[in-house]
Amino acid sequence: MSTVVVLAGGSGGAKLARGMLDVAGSDLVVVANTADDVELYGAHVSPDPDLCVFWLADRIDARGWGLDGDTFHVMDALRELGVDVWFNLGDRDLAIGLERSRRLADGERLTEALAALTTALGVRARVLPMTDDVVRTRVHAGGRWWPFQEFMICHRGQGPVEGVAFDGIDGAVAPSEALDAVARARAIVIGPSNPVVSVRPILDVPGFTEALCASPAPVVAVSPVVGGKVVKGPTEAFMAWAGFGLDAAGTAGYYGDVLDGIVTDETAGGLALPALRTDTLMSDAPARARVARETLDFALALT
Ligand code: GDP
């Protein structure tokens, strides 16, 4: 059975994955960034994979993160006890992280713990971590290094970005499930996530980019730039640090030889690789399915 692989970080990649579920059904395999993971309140919190699962289960809350209709009683109680609750987590979201911690402590791989979550939430597609090993992003900004979530929340994701490190990446191993999915793919899509901190960790897991290049499947990216701007988050500051512009050419340049094509809403020429020009804003379900369908058709036409 051939797969459609989507590489995803948070919001942009997760929305594309949800659209791709309509198009590819159970052939969909999402490989998600785990370098944003964080241990909090005794729970293993895995923001990007969980966001993908919540989107795929149609359980994402309207605020854009967390489970639909979740409550925050545990955070309120922790505050009452004097705990500095800098990272807000819903009660059910916390339960997911606690259960994941228990499974990991029992010797399960992150891949297995995530599979248990996707099954429990009734998701037909697979969501795989980029690695079962511990990789953590740090960001240098404002004259100091921050663990990624502290950069995003305590430093409010403020640039300029002066450095990025993925601790543990050199010794990380991609799960065999992810490598198999890539080898058997009919198309591989890099979702419109932050290229530098959401997608680069996936590509930098030793052997993963080589697996992408060895796969007969075309690799296409959906640009995370919409109408010349970022929809959400600090992508611009990270692209600036990496030395690339905030446009399709910058995105294509950043990914380099990995890409066979790019999907973008920009009409300007000057791209050195095949491009599909279409509206890439995924603000509702029909738009998500349309962008996914057009992206898959574009990729398959490149083979
Ligand atoms: P985060 O972890 O939630 O910040 O999310 P990501 O790393 O997945 O992505 C942030 C990027 O997703 C930003 O560059 C956004 O511009 C992009 N993005 C979010 N929604 C959309 C969308 O509907 N279409 C496109 N093309 N990009 C999007």
Side-chain angles (χ1 to χ4, degrees):
M1 185 191 70
S2 84
T3 58
V4 174
V5 175
V6 172
L7 310 189
S11 52
K15 284 191 279 179
L16 181 75
R18 179 61 190 88
M20 201 58 88
L21 184 65
D22 287 344
V23 175
S26 55
D27 287 353
L28 173 64
V29 179
V30 178
V31 178
N33 169 42
T34 57
D36 298 3
D37 287 14
V38 59
E39 299 282 341
L40 282 166
Y41 322 120
H44 182 114
V45 182
S46 210
D48 284 354
D50 285 357
L51 201 70
C52 291
V53 174
F54 299 166
W55 268 104
L56 293 172
D58 290 328
R59 296 277 302 271
I60 189 77
D61 193 86
R63 79 180 86 84
W65 57 271
L67 278 163
D68 192 16
D70 209 349
T71 50
F72 290 85
H73 298 305
V74 176
M75 297 301 119
D76 290 344
L78 287 172
R79 277 190 202 95
E80 198 176 5
L81 294 172
V83 175
D84 173 20
V85 178
W86 62 272
F87 190 101
N88 222 3
L89 207 54
D91 296 324
R92 287 173 179 274
D93 219 343
L94 177 61
I96 288 169
L98 290 172
E99 171 61 1
R100 179 159 33 226
S101 285
R102 186 196 65 76
R103 287 177 178 274
L104 294 175
D106 282 354
E108 278 190 24
R109 296 183 297 137
L110 195 52
T111 301
E112 293 162 328
L114 205 46
L117 175 65
T118 53
T119 303
L121 267 56
V123 173
R124 283 180 298 149
R126 276 183 296 161
V127 179
L128 302 172
M130 66 186 203
T131 179
D132 291 318
D133 300 310
V134 176
V135 177
R136 295 291 179 266
T137 300
R138 278 183 302 134
V139 179
H140 197 266
R144 58 159 282 197
W145 285 97
W146 304 83
F148 184 73
Q149 298 299 345
E150 289 177 42
F151 166 72
M152 290 299 289
I153 296 169
C154 309
H155 196 59
R156 293 183 303 282
Q158 258 174 10
V161 170
E162 296 144 4
V164 177
F166 305 129
D167 293 339
I169 196 81
D170 292 344
V173 176
S176 60
E177 291 89 339
L179 296 174
D180 287 349
V182 165
R184 290 185 295 104
R186 60 181 184 274
I188 297 163
V189 181
I190 299 180
S193 288
N194 184 324
V196 181
V197 284
S198 293
V199 179
R200 177 56 61 195
I202 307 175
L203 298 177
D204 277 3
V205 172
F208 194 80
T209 292
E210 290 78 356
L212 287 187
C213 295
S215 170
V219 180
V220 302
V222 178
S223 169
V225 184
V226 177
K229 297 196 186 94
V230 163
V231 178
K232 168 182 171 292
T235 298
E236 185 163 14
F238 282 101
M239 288 297 275
W241 169 77
F244 291 90
L246 193 72
D247 52 16
T251 305
Y254 181 76
Y255 289 131
D257 291 343
V258 172
L259 286 190
D260 298 305
I262 188 159
V263 179
T264 170
D265 65 2
E266 291 166 34
T267 49
L271 284 167
L273 77 175
L276 171 71
R277 291 185 166 82
T278 189
D279 179 3
T280 62
L281 185 61
M282 296 178 284
S283 40
D284 57 19
R288 289 188 281 277
R290 178 188 54 75
V291 173
R293 157 65 58 204
E294 290 179 4
T295 299
L296 185 57
D297 288 348
F298 168 63
L300 294 176
L302 295 172
T303 50

